[in-house]
Amino acid sequence: MDAPTPISAEELEELREAFAKIDVDNNGFISKAELTDLFRAANLALPGYRIREIVQELTRTSEQLTFDEFTQVVRGLKSTEVAKTFRKAINKKEGICNVAGTSEQSGTQHSYSEEEKVAFVNWINKALEKDPDCQHLLPMDPSGNDLFTAMGDGIILCKMINLSVPDTIDERTINKKKLTPFTIQENLNLALNSASAIGCHVVNIGAEDLKEGRQHLVLGLLWQVIKIGLFADIELSKNEALIALLRDGESLEDLMKLSPEELLLRWANYHLEEAGCGKINNFSSDIKDSKAYYNLLNQVAPKGDEDGIPPIAIEMSGIREKEDLKRAECMLDQADRLGCRQFVMPTDVVRGNPKLNLAFVANLFNKYPALKKPENQDIDWSSIEGETREERTFRNWMNSLGVNPRVNHLYADIDDALVIFQLYEKIKVPVDWDKVNKPPYPKLGSNMKKLENCNYAVELGKKEAKFSLVGIAGQDLNAGNRTLTLALLWQLMRRYTLNILEDLGDGQKVIDDTIVVWVNGTLSQAGKPTISSFKDGSISRSMPVLDLIDAIQPGSIKYDLLKTEDLTEEEKLNNAKYAISMARKIGARVYALPEDLVEVKPKMVMTVFACLMARGMKRA
């Protein structure tokens, strides 16, 4: 095999997408079976035994490949004939269209999925059909390129973000009329920075990409936004009836650790079991014949036993169709009776498109969960609490940086410190990966492996990052001690924020006072009142933040929309929503929430001013 060639950041992003396509069960690994399927699909000019040898070699140390190992494999294959067919196979897993033209930096040809484009267009057309601000763009034609041009002014993306996470963007800050290149740029800034704040990974996507309608980037971002909305309620604290999915011998804690994908699979199997049918292991190869879907639809369809909800009968005769495609068509006709036909065409079911089938099932769950909260089980309901605002902010920040695997549950998903190590690298603290235990962990002693990682993470924090971690041990991270874990996460986020300022200021050290001095200097120059510290009471009205935005970009704040004296709590929150959205609109990647300003939370207030300082320094 030729010497491995380096992989560019752009290709790494493509590999992440490829990894997700092969990893059909979304567990963060590629199994031996998935890898074998991939090579078979590639139509390699190799005999079967040779394919088995290659797979054997790749999975010599483990039955599963992590993303890092997968990258090494592709790096090794990159300059060989196998590489080309390997890529083709990945693309074959979905109906992929190659985009004319290649990337200037790496010469990589990009591709996108026609099926995804059609699914997203239909979803957006339905979701926004009554929105007066989108009438100039809707309905889009799913067979053409309307989607890519329609995303260009930022309005649809802002609206979709608000549909997924309501109130993320203050509608008053979206430019809707008489758009110019400048006001379009503002909308795209607002959309991208808001997408980041809800946990989308947007590091490689800029306003220009959206303006030019770069297909693979537009679809990648839209999928993240749509998925966040679809998964919002597939969580125990939002939907207590999910407790019905608890298995014998399982604790509530076990159920709370499951990702939305795992919960959906368990939900589908719960209903299939009730119907006396076999289990499925994924939403790709196991649903291709539509039979599991037929039985699932029949189970969740309203039976007329609930007040005010009329029964909907599912016609099951189509399950006996001989051809898979015809059977899928008949099944989707039945899904349509429930108003749940979105995301998949018959071909997507037959091909087992994992992304679109996952969306189809999530939408079905959201409309017809058909679960009843158990009455007599001995359950400590108080232990089912949703995440706090602070926890959500940290989780969204981590996900926006593209950590792998994605963090769904703050404490459970970082109990092996792998995500923490990735965050250390983001703040320029070197990690010796040879010292890190990587999954899959052995069944016996898995927690010991995770604990060793957590000990190393705390050691790095104390010795290399010079964090204040008094009284924090690896055990605390591993066990999910809230206070101590949050203390480490805050220092990581703070350092990340300050690093951006230090990079802009030629490496000059930045502390809280540096930021306060810059803020006050900028406010004074614009003839506006200053602040005493990040605890200043005037911050609860958001006026210092709004004044600073107006000082950085004069004339941007519409003061007539604001109330400045004798504010009720609701009026304070209104000002704060406007302030946070305006900060994002002028280009500051703010993660804090409006409530952080109203309650004057000094840590989060600091990050808002620091992000605005970074924006101001770039403009200077």
Side-chain angles (χ1 to χ4, degrees):
M1 206 176 269
D2 299 353
T5 43
I7 287 180
S8 69
E10 201 170 358
E11 283 182 288
L12 202 62
E13 197 54 35
E14 281 198 338
L15 285 182
R16 259 184 217 290
E17 286 178 27
F19 185 84
K21 286 175 193 167
I22 307 165
D23 174 25
V24 290
D25 51 9
N26 289 299
N27 66 351
F29 308 104
I30 296 177
S31 69
K32 209 166 183 171
E34 286 167 338
L35 204 56
T36 306
D37 286 350
L38 181 68
F39 277 114
R40 286 216 179 101
N43 291 329
L44 287 177
L46 291 170
Y49 78 88
R50 185 72 191 95
I51 291 174
R52 282 195 297 278
E53 278 176 9
I54 293 174
V55 172
Q56 204 66 47
E57 177 63 22
L58 297 179
T59 54
R60 195 176 55 222
T61 54
S62 162
E63 287 293 298
Q64 296 174 305
L65 283 184
T66 63
F67 175 69
D68 288 339
E69 289 164 338
F70 171 67
T71 308
Q72 295 301 324
V73 169
V74 177
R75 185 175 286 172
L77 292 172
K78 206 177 152 202
S79 51
T80 69
E81 192 51 40
V82 177
K84 292 171 192 157
T85 41
F86 195 84
R87 277 293 167 90
K88 272 187 204 156
I90 292 166
N91 288 351
K92 260 183 140 171
K93 289 192 83 73
E94 299 188 7
I96 300 283
C97 302
N98 277 319
V99 181
T102 54
S103 150
E104 283 171 27
Q105 288 108 342
S106 63
T108 312
Q109 191 174 47
H110 291 296
S111 52
Y112 71 93
S113 159
E114 182 70 20
E115 289 93 336
E116 281 177 34
K117 182 197 75 177
V118 171
F120 298 167
V121 165
N122 290 333
W123 181 251
I124 293 168
N125 280 344
K126 186 132 182 60
L128 299 177
E129 66 184 342
K130 293 188 173 68
D131 192 314
D133 301 323
C134 299
Q135 296 313 302
H136 64 301
L137 297 167
L138 299 182
M140 296 176 280
D141 175 6
S143 64
N145 281 328
D146 285 8
L147 175 66
F148 305 118
T149 46
M151 296 293 281
D153 67 9
I155 294 176
I156 282 183
L157 193 49
C158 286
K159 297 284 185 175
M160 290 305 291
I161 288 167
N162 270 353
L163 271 180
S164 284
V165 184
D167 268 350
T168 299
I169 296 174
D170 187 321
E171 284 272 346
R172 295 172 291 178
T173 62
I174 305 173
N175 300 321
K176 298 169 184 175
K177 299 274 187 293
K178 295 179 184 161
L179 295 175
T180 65
F182 178 73
T183 56
I184 285 172
Q185 177 74 28
E186 285 189 322
N187 277 353
L188 294 169
N189 285 345
L190 176 60
L192 284 169
N193 288 324
S194 301
S196 189
I198 65 168
C200 294
H201 178 38
V202 297
V203 170
N204 294 329
I205 309 171
E208 283 305 310
D209 298 316
L210 297 179
K211 224 181 289 178
E212 291 166 16
R214 296 241 169 95
Q215 292 102 324
H216 67 294
L217 294 174
V218 167
L219 290 177
L221 179 56
L222 265 180
W223 170 238
Q224 291 187 72
V225 171
I226 290 169
K227 189 176 172 187
I228 286 168
L230 286 172
F231 284 4
D233 291 334
I234 306 173
E235 205 243 306
L236 217 52
S237 65
K238 305 253 182 78
N239 198 332
E240 289 182 347
L242 283 165
I243 285 198
L245 305 181
L246 204 59
R247 289 180 184 155
D248 285 347
E250 246 184 358
S251 70
L252 203 53
E253 200 180 8
D254 295 326
L255 196 63
M256 288 173 81
K257 281 181 181 174
L258 296 181
S259 68
E261 289 93 336
E262 289 165 330
L263 276 171
L264 275 178
L265 194 57
R266 188 174 286 205
W267 170 74
N269 281 326
Y270 169 86
H271 284 302
L272 289 173
E273 207 175 310
E274 294 279 303
C277 302
K279 265 175 51 167
I280 57 171
N281 297 308
N282 54 57
F283 295 122
S284 50
S285 55
D286 287 6
I287 51 80
K288 288 179 176 181
D289 64 5
S290 301
K291 290 178 180 174
Y293 280 165
Y294 251 119
N295 287 303
L296 181 57
L297 291 171
N298 196 36
Q299 282 298 117
V300 303
K303 305 290 184 281
D305 49 7
E306 283 183 60
D307 284 352
I309 303 174
I312 301 173
I314 298 296
E315 171 55 62
M316 294 291 285
S317 60
I319 202 168
R320 292 190 291 277
E321 283 289 343
K322 296 266 190 298
E323 289 179 6
D324 283 354
L325 197 62
K326 183 70 182 142
R327 197 181 311 112
E329 278 173 22
C330 296
M331 180 275 294
L332 287 175
D333 287 342
Q334 299 310 307
D336 204 22
R337 300 176 78 167
L338 296 175
C340 293
R341 194 185 170 129
Q342 283 91 343
F343 292 111
V344 287
M345 296 290 186
T347 48
D348 301 322
V349 177
V350 173
R351 283 181 186 160
N353 181 314
K355 200 179 276 187
L356 297 181
N357 279 287
L358 179 68
F360 170 73
V361 175
N363 185 47
L364 181 63
F365 170 87
N366 286 329
K367 291 193 175 173
Y368 297 99
L371 293 174
K372 286 197 167 55
K373 189 170 153 182
E375 295 298 326
N376 49 6
Q377 271 180 280
D378 184 20
I379 287 165
D380 176 12
W381 295 101
S382 66
S383 67
I384 306 174
E385 49 186 332
E387 62 186 348
T388 64
R389 279 203 323 269
E390 187 181 18
E391 288 163 353
R392 187 162 90 238
T393 302
F394 285 138
R395 192 171 59 78
N396 287 340
W397 168 67
M398 293 149 96
N399 286 329
S400 76
L401 295 177
V403 295
N404 188 47
R406 186 176 177 84
V407 179
N408 294 301
H409 308 295
L410 192 59
Y411 305 102
D413 292 351
I414 62 175
D415 69 350
D416 63 356
L418 280 189
V419 166
I420 303 289
F421 293 132
Q422 292 168 59
L423 295 174
Y424 276 133
E425 291 197 321
K426 303 279 183 199
I427 62 163
K428 304 173 193 167
V429 169
V431 175
D432 180 353
W433 287 97
D434 290 337
K435 285 187 178 177
V436 177
N437 299 314
K438 298 175 190 73
Y441 304 107
K443 282 202 165 50
L444 277 174
S446 70
N447 210 49
M448 185 50 70
K449 296 285 182 196
K450 292 180 179 183
L451 188 54
E452 285 169 5
N453 282 356
C454 291
N455 288 335
Y456 178 43
V458 172
E459 181 192 322
L460 276 179
K462 287 176 177 171
K463 291 184 180 168
E464 299 293 332
K466 304 285 189 284
F467 286 162
S468 166
L469 298 175
V470 181
I472 300 181
Q475 172 61 31
D476 300 310
L477 277 187
N478 179 246
N481 178 305
R482 290 188 169 211
T483 309
L484 299 178
T485 302
L486 290 175
L488 172 60
L489 291 177
W490 162 243
Q491 291 182 74
L492 282 160
M493 188 181 191
R494 174 187 160 79
R495 179 70 56 84
Y496 177 81
T497 309
L498 297 181
N499 277 358
I500 293 170
L501 291 176
E502 285 168 11
D503 288 346
L504 287 169
D506 299 325
Q508 246 176 322
K509 187 150 178 60
V510 175
I511 56 172
D512 285 15
D513 285 350
T514 323
I515 302 169
V516 173
V517 167
W518 184 89
V519 167
N520 284 339
T522 310
L523 288 170
S524 298
Q525 266 183 324
K528 297 174 189 284
T530 58
I531 58 169
S532 56
S533 71
F534 299 135
K535 295 177 182 171
D536 194 303
S538 65
I539 294 167
S540 75
R541 294 182 289 120
S542 297
M543 291 317 295
V545 177
L546 290 158
D547 285 341
L548 184 61
I549 292 166
D550 202 63
I552 293 168
Q553 191 173 307
S556 58
I557 297 299
K558 298 187 177 79
Y559 284 95
D560 57 333
L561 297 176
L562 306 166
K563 189 167 179 203
T564 55
E565 299 297 332
D566 304 321
L567 279 73
T568 63
E569 287 305 303
E570 193 179 343
E571 287 163 340
K572 283 181 183 176
L573 191 59
N574 260 340
N575 281 4
K577 284 177 182 173
Y578 183 66
I580 295 289
S581 283
M582 281 306 300
R584 291 173 184 155
K585 183 175 173 177
I586 69 160
R589 188 149 285 178
V590 171
Y591 290 93
L593 296 165
E595 291 85 350
D596 296 323
L597 293 181
V598 174
E599 294 167 22
V600 195
K601 298 278 187 194
K603 288 177 180 175
M604 286 301 154
V605 167
M606 183 283 272
T607 65
V608 174
F609 282 121
C611 291
L612 286 168
M613 178 177 169
R615 194 72 204 100
M617 286 169 76
K618 277 184 190 164
R619 283 175 182 250

